[in-house]
């Protein structure tokens, strides 16, 4: 690995690991016979998305209109904006469609559906809208048996808006940690979304797409009858939260933060790193899981995890590396981690950590790296 | 307030509140008879820093070399880079000094001191270095009575490096919440730093600057004898953590996130916002304090806090607004917070929340707003 020229802290992508993760997910989707629409909110990076498309992805999912605008400008046209639309955002959506972007919107309530219908009519533009379904109670969406589902479908369909399908995200999968529980939730997610589609169709409302997904349920799904496509985001890098969920090994995690040892408090067993929470993010997703990784898992430059050590604390630009065992102090901390030593820190949550950086350093198998830009904001 | 043209989520600066916060801190520094060197890591925004300098600040403190480069390019020359330097970062520091930047470095160990001395000698550049002192045990620095203090001073002084002073940061002040405890810690910070300076001077090592500070200790300090300057950062905006520490009112908090209601789960008492953790940051600093504000305190557009409500949960682009009382469900959530309604959310930690945005919308007393850029990265 040739990292001498990279100032720290820096976000590294291990390209071989990333390609393995992409291939694994795509192969599973191919086996299940569904299309795959990666969620690009994890990376906000066209270089990563090109690798996902090259592996077989069809279209992308975005979490912001800025992502839609940036990826459309980079040549991706089939885009699902997977956050319920509000009237104030319709002009930007209209501008994208008028430029030729195949942008699909999402709603989960009659007010937003009526607003899209009125706006479509006013501007003579036929929007395509997918209806968000709630299959696990963790956030947004209409549950499959609610009357509101048909009400929303009718408002759209009867007012000339194309109902493109239904979509759901079983985000509560992040709270699970056994294959059995994940497979059961994947089936719940599938069955609920298929049921919602069936109710719409039975009411005479077309519903071509049935879209489900989260990284854990996508990987755990045993069958996806009735589903047309799957969405997942964080699988492309994985992270320590996903490791605790049980869907990846530490050695699969493709994102790490390159950091330098800048000091010690030897009497406390601390080495001080130049990667604090500004680099790692404030995400402490593993704090509620079986294995709490603090602010991250230190590894050698070759990617080997340093068992027994953790980034136990963080200020804005300072991280504290110490023994991972509570009450145990690392006596040889200054010898083991001398000033100037570089380490790679695996993050709790790749979406949050990546967002702290304006660029990734993408590292090939031969140790050479190139800069891949990512963007920020809305 | 005229927010219709601002897409959400967006970071808003209330300029009158910011100016009041700046004036309050500067007046206190003037009364104490010390110079004030604001820490610009909070905002990374030249428009804010210009207001601080206009009010009387002398020089700035930075947490990254990118901040030093950006603010020097914008015309600020007196810059303290307050994170212990490592050899790999010296070339960028050298480039800044050669361009005329009065950049001061910080070390807290003999290895880094020797590296600066060797690099200075090799390049014929006289660096100025301040020694970091540990006055509260929370992070980096050398305690005032340690032999290492004089060892580091001698390595620098005897090898032609200018010892510019000593600096300390009593960051453990964030864990306190009474005026008495804050004033006591401010005195501990002052006394420890002055003592370190005295030991260096007694050993024949010049030590002109004695620099202390954190927002809570700066505001609580009763006297600063022997101190030449104070540093503080978050006071410019304040935030919910600072409110819990007891150094500001909710009505002083100058940073908020403008958000839109995008949905409801009425049977759970939830309104869904388009400000999730990507906008608010993952910082949950109030979770360990007396009043846990979740992911933020919702306010009306005029800035009035909505007592009884909180952003209780967050996904990447979804926030959950609900009753602040545990076990209490807001029955009229959809009527109270209709789709499309805009709110302002006060953040836990202004440094973390600001960092999620490429720009601020700075709002004047007349409700007009202008865009102020901020930057990201290292």
């Amino acid at each position: 690995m040739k990292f001498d020229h990279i100032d720290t802290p820096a976000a590294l992508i291990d390209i071989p690991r990333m390609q393995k993760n992409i291939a694994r997910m795509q192969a599973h989707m191919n086996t299940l016979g569904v299309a795959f629409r990666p969620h690009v909110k994890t990376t906000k990076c066209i270089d990563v998305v090109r690798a996902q498309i090259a592996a077989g992805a069809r279209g992308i999912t975005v979490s912001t209109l800025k992502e839609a605008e940036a990826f459309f400008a980079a040549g991706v046209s089939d885009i699902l904006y997977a956050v319920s639309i509000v009237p104030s955002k319709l002009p930007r959506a209209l501008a994208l469609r008028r430029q030729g972007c195949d942008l699909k919107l999402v709603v989960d309530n009659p007010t937003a559906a009526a607003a899209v219908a009125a706006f479509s009519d006013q501007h003579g533009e036929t929007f395509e809208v997918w209806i968000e379904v709630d299959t696990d109670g963790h956030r947004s969406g209409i549950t499959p048996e609610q009357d509101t589902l048909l009400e929303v479908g009718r408002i759209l369909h009867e007012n000339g808006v194309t109902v493109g399908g239904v979509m759901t995200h079983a985000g509560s999968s992040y709270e699970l940690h056994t294959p059995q529980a994940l497979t059961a939730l994947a089936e719940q997610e599938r069955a609920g979304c298929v049921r919602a589609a069936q109710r719409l169709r039975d009411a005479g409302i077309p519903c071509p797409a049935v879209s489900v997904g989260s990284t854990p349920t996508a990987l755990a799904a045993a069958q996806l009858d009735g589903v047309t496509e799957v969405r997942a985001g964080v699988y492309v890098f994985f992270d320590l939260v996903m490791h605790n969920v049980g869907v990846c090994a530490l050695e699969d995690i493709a994102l790490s933060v390159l950091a330098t040892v800048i000091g010690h408090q030897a009497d406390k067993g601390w080495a001080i790193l130049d990667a604090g929470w500004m680099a790692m993010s404030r995400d402490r997703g593993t704090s509620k899981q079986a294995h709490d990784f603090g602010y991250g898992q230190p590894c050698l430059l070759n990617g080997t995890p340093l068992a027994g050590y953790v980034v136990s604390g963080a200020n804005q630009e300072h991280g504290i590396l110490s023994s991972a065992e509570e009450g145990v102090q690392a006596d040889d901390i200054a010898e083991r981690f001398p000033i100037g030593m570089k380490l790679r820190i695996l993050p709790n949550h790749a979406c949050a950590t990546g967002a702290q950086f304006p660029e990734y350093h993408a590292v090939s198998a031969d140790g050479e790296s190139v800069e891949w830009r990512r963007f920020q904001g809305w």
Side-chain angles (χ1 to χ4, degrees), chain A:
Chain A
M1 298 292 159
K2 295 146 191 168
F3 297 140
D4 285 351
H5 63 292
I6 301 177
D7 274 341
T8 56
L12 303 183
I13 297 174
D14 184 316
I15 297 179
R17 290 184 183 189
M18 179 190 85
Q19 291 289 13
K20 184 184 160 201
N21 298 339
I22 291 173
R24 175 184 165 200
M25 179 64 84
Q26 190 65 51
H28 187 51
M29 295 299 107
N30 295 348
T31 301
L32 292 170
V34 292
F36 182 57
R37 180 189 294 279
H39 205 317
V40 301
K41 75 183 177 72
T42 301
T43 69
K44 305 198 186 197
C45 173
I46 188 64
D47 304 276
V48 175
V49 172
R50 286 201 182 110
Q52 292 169 306
I53 291 171
R58 290 189 230 157
I60 61 172
T61 314
V62 301
S63 69
T64 64
L65 284 170
K66 187 162 186 172
E67 289 164 54
E69 289 159 355
F71 286 105
F72 177 65
V76 182
S77 182
D78 179 357
I79 300 176
L80 173 67
Y81 171 42
V83 178
S84 195
I85 194 78
V86 281
S88 59
K89 291 180 181 166
L90 285 167
R92 280 173 78 183
L94 177 66
L96 274 166
R97 286 193 66 93
R98 291 227 164 127
Q99 290 168 62
C101 179
D102 180 17
L103 180 71
K104 304 145 192 12
L105 305 179
V106 164
V107 302
D108 77 346
N109 62 81
T111 306
V116 175
F119 188 86
S120 295
D121 187 53
Q122 186 186 345
H123 294 276
E125 174 72 32
T126 305
F127 279 90
E128 177 176 342
V129 173
W130 295 19
I131 301 173
E132 184 169 6
V133 177
D134 179 8
T135 52
D136 71 344
H138 88 289
R139 189 171 73 195
S140 297
I142 308 168
T143 54
E145 304 299 339
Q146 263 181 290
D147 292 342
T148 316
L149 179 72
L150 301 185
E151 184 189 350
V152 167
R154 286 197 188 101
I155 291 170
L156 297 168
H157 184 57
E158 293 170 6
N159 289 285
V161 178
T162 303
V163 179
V166 286
M167 56 83 71
T168 192
H169 166 59
S172 63
S173 59
Y174 283 43
E175 294 155 26
L176 307 177
H177 54 89
T178 67
Q180 295 75 15
L182 290 172
T183 302
L185 183 59
E187 174 54 21
Q188 176 182 323
E189 184 184 39
R190 181 203 70 79
C193 206
V194 169
R195 168 69 183 150
Q198 195 54 51
R199 285 193 71 215
L200 287 164
R201 291 168 188 151
D202 289 349
I205 301 160
C207 183
V210 180
S211 175
V212 304
S214 74
T215 285
T217 52
L219 291 168
Q223 60 94 359
L224 287 175
D225 292 353
V227 166
T228 62
E229 66 165 39
V230 169
R231 308 178 325 281
V234 77
Y235 80 96
V236 69
F237 289 159
F238 285 125
D239 53 29
L240 295 168
V241 166
M242 286 296 114
H243 175 63
N244 274 332
V245 170
V247 294
C248 71
L250 286 182
E251 291 71 16
D252 294 326
I253 299 175
L255 181 70
S256 61
V257 172
L258 186 68
T260 304
V261 177
I262 63 169
H264 303 100
Q265 296 288 14
D267 57 339
K268 296 177 185 151
W270 293 355
I272 310 290
L273 307 176
D274 65 354
W277 62 252
M278 186 60 83
M280 301 307 303
S281 91
R282 270 292 195 199
D283 198 291
R284 288 280 292 104
T286 60
S287 65
K288 295 158 296 190
Q289 295 183 307
H291 188 137
D292 184 349
F293 285 96
Y295 281 91
Q297 170 63 53
C299 302
L300 297 175
L301 288 187
N302 67 8
T304 306
L306 286 161
Y309 295 96
V310 73
V311 181
S312 54
N315 293 132
Q316 186 158 339
E317 297 292 347
H318 297 77
I320 296 174
L321 186 157
S322 66
S323 167
E325 267 182 84
E326 203 151 347
V328 172
Q329 188 168 309
D331 286 333
D332 61 344
I333 198 86
E335 295 73 35
R336 182 79 194 267
F337 301 101
I339 303 261
M341 180 182 185
K342 287 186 178 179
L343 297 164
R344 291 168 74 167
I345 317 295
L346 302 179
N348 282 317
H349 188 175
C351 307
T353 301
Q356 303 298 106
F357 293 85
E359 72 281 306
Y360 302 108
H361 295 269
V363 186
S364 308
D366 63 4
E368 299 289 342
S369 65
V370 292
E371 203 174 292
W372 288 356
R373 302 297 299 175
R374 58 163 291 147
F375 58 90
Q376 187 198 26
W378 288 265

PDB file of all heavy atoms in Angstrom, chain A residues 253-277:
ATOM      1  N   ILE A 253     -15.198  -5.088   4.716  1.00  0.00           N
ATOM      2  CA  ILE A 253     -15.499  -3.659   4.811  1.00  0.00           C
ATOM      3  C   ILE A 253     -14.536  -2.878   3.920  1.00  0.00           C
ATOM      4  O   ILE A 253     -13.319  -2.903   4.112  1.00  0.00           O
ATOM      5  CB  ILE A 253     -15.453  -3.179   6.279  1.00  0.00           C
ATOM      6  CG1 ILE A 253     -16.503  -3.951   7.098  1.00  0.00           C
ATOM      7  CG2 ILE A 253     -15.683  -1.669   6.364  1.00  0.00           C
ATOM      8  CD1 ILE A 253     -16.491  -3.658   8.591  1.00  0.00           C
ATOM      9  N   ALA A 254     -15.103  -2.191   2.925  1.00  0.00           N
ATOM     10  CA  ALA A 254     -14.290  -1.574   1.871  1.00  0.00           C
ATOM     11  C   ALA A 254     -13.954  -0.115   2.159  1.00  0.00           C
ATOM     12  O   ALA A 254     -13.112   0.468   1.479  1.00  0.00           O
ATOM     13  CB  ALA A 254     -15.024  -1.678   0.534  1.00  0.00           C
ATOM     14  N   LEU A 255     -14.608   0.507   3.141  1.00  0.00           N
ATOM     15  CA  LEU A 255     -14.321   1.899   3.484  1.00  0.00           C
ATOM     16  C   LEU A 255     -13.547   1.952   4.788  1.00  0.00           C
ATOM     17  O   LEU A 255     -13.922   1.297   5.769  1.00  0.00           O
ATOM     18  CB  LEU A 255     -15.629   2.694   3.639  1.00  0.00           C
ATOM     19  CG  LEU A 255     -15.455   4.182   3.987  1.00  0.00           C
ATOM     20  CD1 LEU A 255     -14.881   4.955   2.798  1.00  0.00           C
ATOM     21  CD2 LEU A 255     -16.783   4.813   4.415  1.00  0.00           C
ATOM     22  N   SER A 256     -12.472   2.718   4.799  1.00  0.00           N
ATOM     23  CA  SER A 256     -11.748   2.946   6.044  1.00  0.00           C
ATOM     24  C   SER A 256     -11.225   4.370   6.042  1.00  0.00           C
ATOM     25  O   SER A 256     -11.168   5.027   5.003  1.00  0.00           O
ATOM     26  CB  SER A 256     -10.588   1.944   6.197  1.00  0.00           C
ATOM     27  OG  SER A 256      -9.669   2.096   5.140  1.00  0.00           O
ATOM     28  N   VAL A 257     -10.876   4.852   7.231  1.00  0.00           N
ATOM     29  CA  VAL A 257     -10.304   6.193   7.354  1.00  0.00           C
ATOM     30  C   VAL A 257      -8.823   6.049   7.679  1.00  0.00           C
ATOM     31  O   VAL A 257      -8.456   5.428   8.685  1.00  0.00           O
ATOM     32  CB  VAL A 257     -11.022   7.013   8.443  1.00  0.00           C
ATOM     33  CG1 VAL A 257     -10.306   8.330   8.701  1.00  0.00           C
ATOM     34  CG2 VAL A 257     -12.473   7.265   8.027  1.00  0.00           C
ATOM     35  N   LEU A 258      -8.003   6.584   6.798  1.00  0.00           N
ATOM     36  CA  LEU A 258      -6.560   6.593   7.025  1.00  0.00           C
ATOM     37  C   LEU A 258      -6.252   7.679   8.057  1.00  0.00           C
ATOM     38  O   LEU A 258      -6.660   8.836   7.895  1.00  0.00           O
ATOM     39  CB  LEU A 258      -5.839   6.883   5.710  1.00  0.00           C
ATOM     40  CG  LEU A 258      -4.314   6.794   5.720  1.00  0.00           C
ATOM     41  CD1 LEU A 258      -3.842   5.353   5.917  1.00  0.00           C
ATOM     42  CD2 LEU A 258      -3.730   7.358   4.423  1.00  0.00           C
ATOM     43  N   ALA A 259      -5.537   7.295   9.130  1.00  0.00           N
ATOM     44  CA  ALA A 259      -5.269   8.225  10.225  1.00  0.00           C
ATOM     45  C   ALA A 259      -3.816   8.115  10.642  1.00  0.00           C
ATOM     46  O   ALA A 259      -3.150   7.110  10.375  1.00  0.00           O
ATOM     47  CB  ALA A 259      -6.175   7.907  11.411  1.00  0.00           C
ATOM     48  N   THR A 260      -3.322   9.155  11.310  1.00  0.00           N
ATOM     49  CA  THR A 260      -1.948   9.187  11.792  1.00  0.00           C
ATOM     50  C   THR A 260      -1.943   9.334  13.318  1.00  0.00           C
ATOM     51  O   THR A 260      -2.750  10.090  13.866  1.00  0.00           O
ATOM     52  CB  THR A 260      -1.191  10.386  11.174  1.00  0.00           C
ATOM     53  OG1 THR A 260      -1.265  10.309   9.753  1.00  0.00           O
ATOM     54  CG2 THR A 260       0.274  10.395  11.596  1.00  0.00           C
ATOM     55  N   VAL A 261      -1.033   8.635  13.972  1.00  0.00           N
ATOM     56  CA  VAL A 261      -0.830   8.820  15.418  1.00  0.00           C
ATOM     57  C   VAL A 261      -0.124  10.159  15.614  1.00  0.00           C
ATOM     58  O   VAL A 261       0.957  10.387  15.050  1.00  0.00           O
ATOM     59  CB  VAL A 261       0.005   7.674  16.014  1.00  0.00           C
ATOM     60  CG1 VAL A 261       0.268   7.929  17.509  1.00  0.00           C
ATOM     61  CG2 VAL A 261      -0.688   6.326  15.813  1.00  0.00           C
ATOM     62  N   ILE A 262      -0.737  11.050  16.417  1.00  0.00           N
ATOM     63  CA  ILE A 262      -0.157  12.383  16.622  1.00  0.00           C
ATOM     64  C   ILE A 262       0.276  12.624  18.067  1.00  0.00           C
ATOM     65  O   ILE A 262       0.865  13.661  18.361  1.00  0.00           O
ATOM     66  CB  ILE A 262      -1.138  13.508  16.195  1.00  0.00           C
ATOM     67  CG1 ILE A 262      -2.411  13.494  17.064  1.00  0.00           C
ATOM     68  CG2 ILE A 262      -1.492  13.393  14.709  1.00  0.00           C
ATOM     69  CD1 ILE A 262      -3.282  14.738  16.878  1.00  0.00           C
ATOM     70  N   GLY A 263       0.018  11.697  18.966  1.00  0.00           N
ATOM     71  CA  GLY A 263       0.425  11.905  20.354  1.00  0.00           C
ATOM     72  C   GLY A 263       0.033  10.731  21.229  1.00  0.00           C
ATOM     73  O   GLY A 263      -0.532   9.738  20.746  1.00  0.00           O
ATOM     74  N   HIS A 264       0.379  10.812  22.497  1.00  0.00           N
ATOM     75  CA  HIS A 264       0.039   9.765  23.472  1.00  0.00           C
ATOM     76  C   HIS A 264      -0.319  10.391  24.806  1.00  0.00           C
ATOM     77  O   HIS A 264       0.172  11.475  25.137  1.00  0.00           O
ATOM     78  CB  HIS A 264       1.224   8.818  23.700  1.00  0.00           C
ATOM     79  CG  HIS A 264       1.732   8.172  22.465  1.00  0.00           C
ATOM     80  ND1 HIS A 264       2.853   8.619  21.800  1.00  0.00           N
ATOM     81  CD2 HIS A 264       1.254   7.137  21.737  1.00  0.00           C
ATOM     82  CE1 HIS A 264       3.047   7.880  20.713  1.00  0.00           C
ATOM     83  NE2 HIS A 264       2.086   6.979  20.654  1.00  0.00           N
ATOM     84  N   GLN A 265      -1.132   9.687  25.567  1.00  0.00           N
ATOM     85  CA  GLN A 265      -1.238   9.898  27.010  1.00  0.00           C
ATOM     86  C   GLN A 265      -0.935   8.520  27.579  1.00  0.00           C
ATOM     87  O   GLN A 265      -1.844   7.733  27.885  1.00  0.00           O
ATOM     88  CB  GLN A 265      -2.626  10.419  27.407  1.00  0.00           C
ATOM     89  CG  GLN A 265      -2.980  11.771  26.853  1.00  0.00           C
ATOM     90  CD  GLN A 265      -2.221  12.935  27.493  1.00  0.00           C
ATOM     91  OE1 GLN A 265      -1.210  12.750  28.202  1.00  0.00           O
ATOM     92  NE2 GLN A 265      -2.666  14.149  27.239  1.00  0.00           N
ATOM     93  N   ALA A 266       0.373   8.226  27.674  1.00  0.00           N
ATOM     94  CA  ALA A 266       0.812   6.862  27.968  1.00  0.00           C
ATOM     95  C   ALA A 266       0.289   6.368  29.312  1.00  0.00           C
ATOM     96  O   ALA A 266      -0.041   5.181  29.457  1.00  0.00           O
ATOM     97  CB  ALA A 266       2.342   6.792  27.925  1.00  0.00           C
ATOM     98  N   ASP A 267       0.178   7.274  30.287  1.00  0.00           N
ATOM     99  CA  ASP A 267      -0.281   6.818  31.607  1.00  0.00           C
ATOM    100  C   ASP A 267      -1.754   6.439  31.620  1.00  0.00           C
ATOM    101  O   ASP A 267      -2.244   5.834  32.561  1.00  0.00           O
ATOM    102  CB  ASP A 267       0.012   7.876  32.683  1.00  0.00           C
ATOM    103  CG  ASP A 267      -0.624   9.215  32.350  1.00  0.00           C
ATOM    104  OD1 ASP A 267      -0.932   9.444  31.160  1.00  0.00           O
ATOM    105  OD2 ASP A 267      -0.825  10.018  33.275  1.00  0.00           O
ATOM    106  N   LYS A 268      -2.468   6.800  30.560  1.00  0.00           N
ATOM    107  CA  LYS A 268      -3.872   6.370  30.429  1.00  0.00           C
ATOM    108  C   LYS A 268      -4.024   5.256  29.396  1.00  0.00           C
ATOM    109  O   LYS A 268      -5.140   4.778  29.164  1.00  0.00           O
ATOM    110  CB  LYS A 268      -4.743   7.555  29.995  1.00  0.00           C
ATOM    111  CG  LYS A 268      -4.811   8.677  31.007  1.00  0.00           C
ATOM    112  CD  LYS A 268      -5.635   9.834  30.445  1.00  0.00           C
ATOM    113  CE  LYS A 268      -5.606  11.005  31.394  1.00  0.00           C
ATOM    114  NZ  LYS A 268      -5.742  12.288  30.685  1.00  0.00           N
ATOM    115  N   GLY A 269      -2.928   4.895  28.714  1.00  0.00           N
ATOM    116  CA  GLY A 269      -3.024   3.878  27.671  1.00  0.00           C
ATOM    117  C   GLY A 269      -3.660   4.394  26.398  1.00  0.00           C
ATOM    118  O   GLY A 269      -4.282   3.645  25.647  1.00  0.00           O
ATOM    119  N   TRP A 270      -3.497   5.687  26.133  1.00  0.00           N
ATOM    120  CA  TRP A 270      -4.106   6.302  24.951  1.00  0.00           C
ATOM    121  C   TRP A 270      -3.057   6.639  23.898  1.00  0.00           C
ATOM    122  O   TRP A 270      -2.009   7.196  24.212  1.00  0.00           O
ATOM    123  CB  TRP A 270      -4.778   7.639  25.283  1.00  0.00           C
ATOM    124  CG  TRP A 270      -5.975   7.595  26.171  1.00  0.00           C
ATOM    125  CD1 TRP A 270      -6.616   6.498  26.660  1.00  0.00           C
ATOM    126  CD2 TRP A 270      -6.674   8.749  26.685  1.00  0.00           C
ATOM    127  NE1 TRP A 270      -7.671   6.893  27.444  1.00  0.00           N
ATOM    128  CE2 TRP A 270      -7.737   8.260  27.485  1.00  0.00           C
ATOM    129  CE3 TRP A 270      -6.508  10.121  26.546  1.00  0.00           C
ATOM    130  CZ2 TRP A 270      -8.622   9.115  28.143  1.00  0.00           C
ATOM    131  CZ3 TRP A 270      -7.398  10.967  27.204  1.00  0.00           C
ATOM    132  CH2 TRP A 270      -8.443  10.465  27.989  1.00  0.00           C
ATOM    133  N   ALA A 271      -3.361   6.337  22.642  1.00  0.00           N
ATOM    134  CA  ALA A 271      -2.684   6.993  21.515  1.00  0.00           C
ATOM    135  C   ALA A 271      -3.698   7.964  20.916  1.00  0.00           C
ATOM    136  O   ALA A 271      -4.889   7.657  20.823  1.00  0.00           O
ATOM    137  CB  ALA A 271      -2.246   5.982  20.468  1.00  0.00           C
ATOM    138  N   ILE A 272      -3.227   9.163  20.535  1.00  0.00           N
ATOM    139  CA  ILE A 272      -4.120  10.167  19.962  1.00  0.00           C
ATOM    140  C   ILE A 272      -3.958  10.143  18.441  1.00  0.00           C
ATOM    141  O   ILE A 272      -2.829  10.178  17.929  1.00  0.00           O
ATOM    142  CB  ILE A 272      -3.794  11.581  20.501  1.00  0.00           C
ATOM    143  CG1 ILE A 272      -3.704  11.578  22.033  1.00  0.00           C
ATOM    144  CG2 ILE A 272      -4.820  12.600  20.003  1.00  0.00           C
ATOM    145  CD1 ILE A 272      -5.002  11.388  22.768  1.00  0.00           C
ATOM    146  N   LEU A 273      -5.072  10.062  17.735  1.00  0.00           N
ATOM    147  CA  LEU A 273      -5.087  10.030  16.267  1.00  0.00           C
ATOM    148  C   LEU A 273      -5.596  11.359  15.719  1.00  0.00           C
ATOM    149  O   LEU A 273      -6.331  12.074  16.403  1.00  0.00           O
ATOM    150  CB  LEU A 273      -6.028   8.929  15.770  1.00  0.00           C
ATOM    151  CG  LEU A 273      -5.819   7.520  16.313  1.00  0.00           C
ATOM    152  CD1 LEU A 273      -6.916   6.605  15.758  1.00  0.00           C
ATOM    153  CD2 LEU A 273      -4.441   7.012  15.912  1.00  0.00           C
ATOM    154  N   ASP A 274      -5.251  11.636  14.457  1.00  0.00           N
ATOM    155  CA  ASP A 274      -5.793  12.839  13.812  1.00  0.00           C
ATOM    156  C   ASP A 274      -7.131  12.555  13.107  1.00  0.00           C
ATOM    157  O   ASP A 274      -7.558  13.341  12.272  1.00  0.00           O
ATOM    158  CB  ASP A 274      -4.778  13.454  12.846  1.00  0.00           C
ATOM    159  CG  ASP A 274      -4.450  12.565  11.676  1.00  0.00           C
ATOM    160  OD1 ASP A 274      -4.919  11.405  11.632  1.00  0.00           O
ATOM    161  OD2 ASP A 274      -3.702  13.014  10.777  1.00  0.00           O
ATOM    162  N   ALA A 275      -7.765  11.456  13.462  1.00  0.00           N
ATOM    163  CA  ALA A 275      -9.125  11.178  12.986  1.00  0.00           C
ATOM    164  C   ALA A 275     -10.059  11.244  14.184  1.00  0.00           C
ATOM    165  O   ALA A 275     -10.086  10.322  15.004  1.00  0.00           O
ATOM    166  CB  ALA A 275      -9.205   9.814  12.307  1.00  0.00           C
ATOM    167  N   GLY A 276     -10.780  12.352  14.306  1.00  0.00           N
ATOM    168  CA  GLY A 276     -11.787  12.494  15.355  1.00  0.00           C
ATOM    169  C   GLY A 276     -13.161  12.259  14.751  1.00  0.00           C
ATOM    170  O   GLY A 276     -13.301  11.576  13.739  1.00  0.00           O
ATOM    171  N   TRP A 277     -14.183  12.871  15.380  1.00  0.00           N
ATOM    172  CA  TRP A 277     -15.531  12.621  14.837  1.00  0.00           C
ATOM    173  C   TRP A 277     -15.769  13.355  13.529  1.00  0.00           C
ATOM    174  O   TRP A 277     -16.661  12.969  12.766  1.00  0.00           O
ATOM    175  CB  TRP A 277     -16.620  12.921  15.859  1.00  0.00           C
ATOM    176  CG  TRP A 277     -16.721  14.337  16.366  1.00  0.00           C
ATOM    177  CD1 TRP A 277     -16.371  14.778  17.608  1.00  0.00           C
ATOM    178  CD2 TRP A 277     -17.225  15.483  15.658  1.00  0.00           C
ATOM    179  NE1 TRP A 277     -16.614  16.130  17.710  1.00  0.00           N
ATOM    180  CE2 TRP A 277     -17.148  16.589  16.542  1.00  0.00           C
ATOM    181  CE3 TRP A 277     -17.742  15.692  14.382  1.00  0.00           C
ATOM    182  CZ2 TRP A 277     -17.544  17.882  16.172  1.00  0.00           C
ATOM    183  CZ3 TRP A 277     -18.139  16.974  14.010  1.00  0.00           C
ATOM    184  CH2 TRP A 277     -18.043  18.049  14.905  1.00  0.00           C
TER     185      TRP A 277
END
